[in-house]
Amino acid sequence: MRVALLATYELGRQPFGLASPAAWLRAAGHHVTVADLACSPIPWPEVEQAELIAFHIPMHTATRLFLRVVERVQRANPWAHFCAYGLYAPLNAPMLRRIGVHSILGGEFEQRLLELASGACGDGMVSLERQKFQVPDRTGLPPLEAYAQLMTEGGPRLVGYTESSRGCLHFCRHCPITPVYRGAFRVVQRDVVLEDIRGQIDAGARHITFGDPDFFNGPAHGIQIVEEMHRHWPEVSYDVTIKIEHLLRRRELLPVLVATGCAFVTSAVESMEDTVLERLRKGHTRADFLEALRLMRSADLPLSPTFLPFTPWTTLGSYRQFLQELAGLGLAGQVPSIQFGIRLLIPAGSAMLELPEIRACIEPFDPRGLCYPWHGAPEVDALCVSIQETVKRAERKKEPREQIFRRIWDLAGAGAFPDIPLADRATIPYLTEPWYC
């Protein structure tokens, strides 16, 4: 069968979500075309001849971009079988069916895609069956130079991307993983991960981003991989994502991360307010975050926290206090500027809908925005819009993070700026494509 696997956006990473199923399909004898539409055009001749066209939609932004192109692809090839797969596919199943998507796959999708191409796909959108993975086949994808780079004091590094696990043991209410995996956690076999890393290093990568929702869901698995990676390629650095509670619970592993070349750790802190953290079911408190930050600094391992500053519970006072605490903690230069304008997203199927107070404040589902709109205090909503616009303009001009933070501080009316030094961004490794949903 002729198969076209398409992605629209994956955070400036070469898509694992295309390379992994491509390996399965090609090994079974299917003719596979892959295209990352974030940095390459639609391969129209191959798309027009494809019998199966599958879009990978792992996140909200990717899904909205998918909606901009799918109709053109359907017009070009109305005879193909259309599939959407990835985290956001089952969450948006009713919408996908309305626009003519025939198959919707979530969870562990490689085996299901192979079955679909072979005409034997079973019932059920979400599969959590354990799989024996194949080494991702990145043939046909844009080179690593087309993607985000790691900026360091020593200069930029080409970045590769892989996944050593999927799903999550936890049930954070605002996370799209929760309604799909429901506490399940699946690993990619160690030899597969290392061979995938080897191929990307051979292609020029000098840094690897691990896209696991939480690298310490299976700490022994993750540590074995980075220890072996460091033995083979000691000059290659990496970054991981780890929950605050796991940084505390497995604190003895922080020196191992440093010794094996970890450049920084991303952690979804989300809020400094315990009441908000409890509503989000994050599993940590403000005090836990401060202790994790202390431990990370003691280990000389940079923490890159992400935040969700605009929720239905945000006030002008709480936002100002949030900025003041970040400045006091010396984190203003370590937080990507886009994080200061992030607003709670409530997509279809979100566990946030469990809360009566959320159900009371949302509007009907917006099929264009793919979310339930909500409104906070008018002055807070206006501030959020102003901050988002300010950050977009400033980043287009490549203004330093510290300068953007000062602009946001003034917009929020946070008072006199404290007389404290802000960390120079150049001393903290960071990716040129910041994390967001």
Side-chain angles (χ1 to χ4, degrees):
M1 177 178 278
R2 301 184 74 86
V3 181
L5 300 177
L6 309 177
T8 55
Y9 178 66
E10 302 205 12
L11 288 169
R13 304 159 172 169
Q14 194 183 65
F16 183 94
L18 296 187
S20 181
W24 292 59
L25 291 162
R26 286 168 176 158
H30 298 286
H31 182 279
V32 180
T33 297
V34 294
D36 181 0
L37 307 186
C39 53
S40 59
I42 296 175
W44 288 115
E46 290 80 5
V47 164
E48 289 167 357
Q49 296 175 34
E51 299 159 87
L52 169 62
I53 299 175
F55 283 87
H56 186 221
I57 49 174
M59 54 184 291
H60 183 256
T61 301
T63 310
R64 294 190 66 180
L65 292 172
F66 153 80
L67 292 177
R68 296 182 186 180
V69 301
V70 65
E71 187 176 349
R72 284 191 293 147
V73 175
Q74 288 170 324
R75 286 199 304 267
N77 187 347
W79 305 278
H81 184 98
F82 279 80
C83 171
Y85 68 99
L87 201 58
Y88 269 73
L91 295 180
N92 291 284
M95 176 274 293
L96 292 171
R97 290 195 180 101
R98 280 197 304 273
I99 64 172
V101 174
H102 305 106
S103 297
I104 298 165
L105 307 178
E108 304 300 277
F109 50 74
E110 283 87 352
Q111 180 64 42
R112 298 294 303 284
L113 272 172
L114 180 58
E115 292 170 358
L116 185 61
S118 304
C121 189
D123 294 332
M125 289 187 294
V126 176
S127 172
L128 299 182
E129 293 183 11
R130 288 177 171 82
Q131 301 183 137
K132 174 59 180 174
F133 282 83
Q134 299 197 35
V135 178
D137 185 345
R138 299 175 182 273
T139 305
L141 287 171
L144 296 180
E145 287 83 355
Y147 294 94
Q149 296 185 26
L150 180 77
M151 304 305 292
T152 71
E153 285 189 280
R157 294 187 177 192
L158 287 183
V159 176
Y161 173 83
T162 195
E163 297 174 5
S164 68
S165 67
R166 287 190 185 143
C168 189
L169 300 173
H170 302 273
F171 293 86
C172 300
R173 276 199 176 96
H174 62 303
C175 180
I177 297 171
T178 295
V180 176
Y181 277 86
R182 299 185 181 277
F185 160 67
R186 299 289 178 258
V187 301
V188 182
Q189 288 75 29
R190 183 173 54 177
D191 59 330
V192 172
V193 179
L194 288 165
E195 192 59 32
D196 187 32
I197 290 171
R198 178 189 300 277
Q200 293 180 82
I201 290 174
D202 289 346
R206 291 299 174 265
H207 178 88
I208 300 294
T209 288
F210 286 91
D212 307 44
D214 193 306
F215 200 66
F216 278 1
N217 269 327
H221 176 66
I223 289 297
Q224 288 171 357
I225 287 172
V226 295
E227 286 182 332
E228 191 161 346
M229 172 180 156
H230 187 67
R231 280 196 295 272
H232 287 294
W233 308 284
E235 74 287 357
V236 176
S237 58
Y238 66 91
D239 69 273
V240 294
T241 297
I242 302 175
K243 283 175 66 69
I244 291 296
E245 63 182 285
H246 285 169
L247 292 173
L248 296 178
R249 189 179 304 156
R250 304 312 302 261
R251 63 186 68 196
E252 76 279 2
L253 296 178
L254 299 185
V256 181
L257 295 179
V258 174
T260 53
C262 186
F264 64 91
V265 173
T266 299
S267 191
V269 178
E270 311 300 39
S271 177
M272 301 282 208
E273 300 178 70
D274 285 343
T275 54
V276 175
L277 291 169
E278 184 177 353
R279 286 163 175 149
L280 298 178
R281 205 160 53 193
K282 278 301 299 176
H284 71 260
T285 63
R286 177 181 179 277
D288 291 335
F289 163 57
L290 296 178
E291 174 64 5
L293 180 62
R294 184 192 67 79
L295 288 172
M296 296 286 284
R297 286 175 168 168
S298 296
D300 197 25
L301 181 56
L303 178 66
S304 179
T306 65
F307 291 99
L308 186 57
F310 288 96
T311 71
W313 308 286
T314 303
T315 66
L316 284 181
S318 68
Y319 189 81
R320 290 164 180 161
Q321 185 175 357
F322 163 66
L323 296 179
Q324 291 161 359
E325 289 193 276
L326 284 184
L329 291 168
L331 288 171
Q334 286 180 240
V335 178
S337 301
I338 196 170
Q339 290 291 319
F340 296 111
I342 295 290
R343 182 178 169 88
L344 175 66
L345 180 71
I346 307 178
S350 172
M352 291 299 299
L353 298 170
E354 298 170 351
L355 296 176
E357 57 203 285
I358 289 294
R359 295 198 300 271
C361 79
I362 60 174
E363 298 178 5
F365 187 77
D366 176 8
R368 296 185 64 185
L370 298 179
C371 65
Y372 290 94
W374 59 268
H375 296 288
E379 64 275 14
V380 176
D381 289 345
L383 175 63
C384 180
V385 172
S386 295
I387 289 172
Q388 290 175 349
E389 292 175 348
T390 297
V391 170
K392 287 178 184 177
R393 287 195 301 267
E395 291 196 333
R396 279 198 296 267
K397 297 177 181 177
K398 301 190 182 303
E399 292 183 11
R401 278 184 184 174
E402 299 76 18
Q403 185 173 320
I404 300 173
F405 182 80
R406 290 289 295 265
R407 289 180 185 272
I408 293 169
W409 181 282
D410 292 339
L411 278 172
F417 198 80
D419 185 20
I420 55 175
L422 297 179
D424 182 357
R425 183 182 185 186
T427 66
I428 304 163
Y430 66 94
L431 294 169
T432 54
E433 186 91 12
W435 183 98
Y436 68 105
C437 66

